[in-house]
Amino acid sequence: MFKYNLKCIIMLTILVGFFSFHGKALATSVAVSPTTLELTVAPGEFFETQLEVYGAPDQNLRAKAYLHDYEFDLSGKAILYKEGGILPRSAASWVSIEPQDFIIPAGEKRMVRISGTVPQDTPGGDYWSMYFIEIFPFSQLQTSGVVVSGRVGGSFTITVPGADGPKGKITALEVECFVEEHKQQVSGVITFKNEGDLILKPSGRVEIRTLQNQVLEEIIIRPVKIHPGAERRISFTEQINLEEGRYVALAILDYGGEKLSGFPNIFWVDR
């Protein structure tokens, strides 16, 4: 029997913007679950899990399964590569996805197996890739039902034990105040650097303070995903009415480390 070490396999969070849908039929008739896989596997150990691929209720569909590497640009947009195993921390070279070409009978589902073995000398940290299920009409001669095509998919992350704890910091904070449509806006960008080997999801706030350290407003920063070694520019905008003068913006992010990361900046309000 295979030895499993899967601490956290299923998270049903949909990764919006990662997957392309061609037509309403695909989004409503074809689904894959789970869309996010997170596994903890030691070097040299085997891992295995399954995806459920649900087909259309009124027609047979042909599907292909394959892996892609991905990373984020500075703004957080996902960049897809044409194949897996390219990036330094890609998990695709360890992973097989089976079957790669299959039929989903009308009204049924098929199971797709994702499995592999972490190489013995793999350093601790997070490794990742994406899977895609691409859908085709079973036959161009089929006349019943709607024609479904496109692809759905998700990501998987393999955590190899042995990495140091989360490491990262805010490296810059840009803030400005401007008037748009007769409303005063405070906007800016936080630049955060992931300096460790684990994926980070920093979140927190930007405090708007007087020079006397009185907190006037707080702008909430929601979690963002940052891969090891990568930087992310986190934008924020909030409608805040301030009198003319100088103010302090203080960005405070919790990224899972022992201490919060903070970064101040002084900005002007000129009416």
Side-chain angles (χ1 to χ4, degrees):
M1 180 177 291
F2 294 123
K3 181 180 180 181
Y4 294 16
N5 185 9
L6 310 183
K7 288 186 178 177
C8 184
I9 296 179
I10 299 176
M11 293 177 60
L12 297 179
T13 304
I14 296 176
L15 302 183
V16 178
F18 273 19
F19 325 122
S20 58
F21 299 96
H22 299 279
K24 183 178 179 181
L26 177 64
T28 57
S29 299
V30 180
V32 179
S33 178
T35 56
T36 302
L37 300 169
E38 295 189 349
L39 296 77
T40 299
V41 189
E45 289 195 349
F46 176 83
F47 58 89
E48 178 182 350
T49 188
Q50 289 185 322
L51 305 171
E52 295 182 344
V53 183
Y54 298 86
D58 55 357
Q59 64 174 311
N60 297 333
L61 296 175
R62 179 188 173 199
K64 288 187 175 182
Y66 51 88
L67 303 174
H68 273 336
D69 279 357
Y70 80 98
E71 61 184 346
F72 297 110
D73 65 13
L74 281 172
S75 65
K77 180 180 178 181
I79 302 171
L80 294 179
Y81 293 82
K82 291 184 178 180
E83 56 186 289
I86 296 174
L87 299 178
R89 284 192 167 267
S90 171
S93 58
W94 317 337
V95 174
S96 63
I97 184 166
E98 299 173 339
Q100 296 182 3
D101 196 330
F102 56 97
I103 301 300
I104 311 173
E108 297 185 17
K109 70 178 181 180
R110 287 293 304 273
M111 305 302 294
V112 174
R113 176 174 175 262
I114 293 180
S115 62
T117 300
V118 176
Q120 189 68 50
D121 58 350
T122 303
D126 284 339
Y127 300 82
W128 61 89
S129 190
M130 295 193 69
Y131 70 82
F132 281 102
I133 308 296
E134 191 162 1
I135 307 297
F136 306 89
F138 177 68
S139 171
Q140 295 297 332
L141 300 178
Q142 184 170 339
T143 57
S144 64
V146 296
V147 176
V148 179
S149 62
R151 65 179 181 175
V152 293
S155 71
F156 61 88
T157 301
I158 298 173
T159 299
V160 178
D164 294 334
K167 296 180 180 180
K169 64 181 180 181
I170 301 172
T171 59
L173 173 62
E174 306 166 30
V175 186
E176 65 174 345
C177 183
F178 61 94
V179 176
E180 184 175 282
E181 297 181 352
H182 306 291
K183 296 178 181 179
Q184 191 179 69
Q185 307 280 342
V186 173
S187 67
V189 175
I190 304 168
T191 302
F192 189 93
K193 173 73 173 180
N194 185 342
E195 299 179 321
D197 298 317
L198 300 173
I199 294 173
L200 301 181
K201 298 179 181 178
S203 63
R205 64 191 185 275
V206 176
E207 295 180 352
I208 306 301
R209 303 183 175 195
T210 66
L211 295 183
Q212 291 73 39
N213 215 28
Q214 178 187 359
V215 178
L216 302 176
E217 298 282 351
E218 289 188 356
I219 303 172
I220 300 300
I221 305 298
R222 304 198 179 279
V224 297
K225 189 174 183 178
I226 308 177
H227 285 150
E231 276 191 329
R232 177 77 180 267
R233 288 173 58 84
I234 308 168
S235 300
F236 60 88
T237 300
E238 190 79 14
Q239 181 181 340
I240 301 175
N241 292 319
L242 299 172
E243 298 294 331
E244 183 174 334
R246 291 193 301 169
Y247 296 86
V248 176
L250 176 63
I252 303 172
L253 295 182
D254 183 353
Y255 61 93
E258 294 181 356
K259 298 180 180 179
L260 302 178
S261 180
F263 200 102
N265 197 1
I266 295 177
F267 68 99
W268 287 83
V269 174
D270 187 8
R271 289 183 174 273

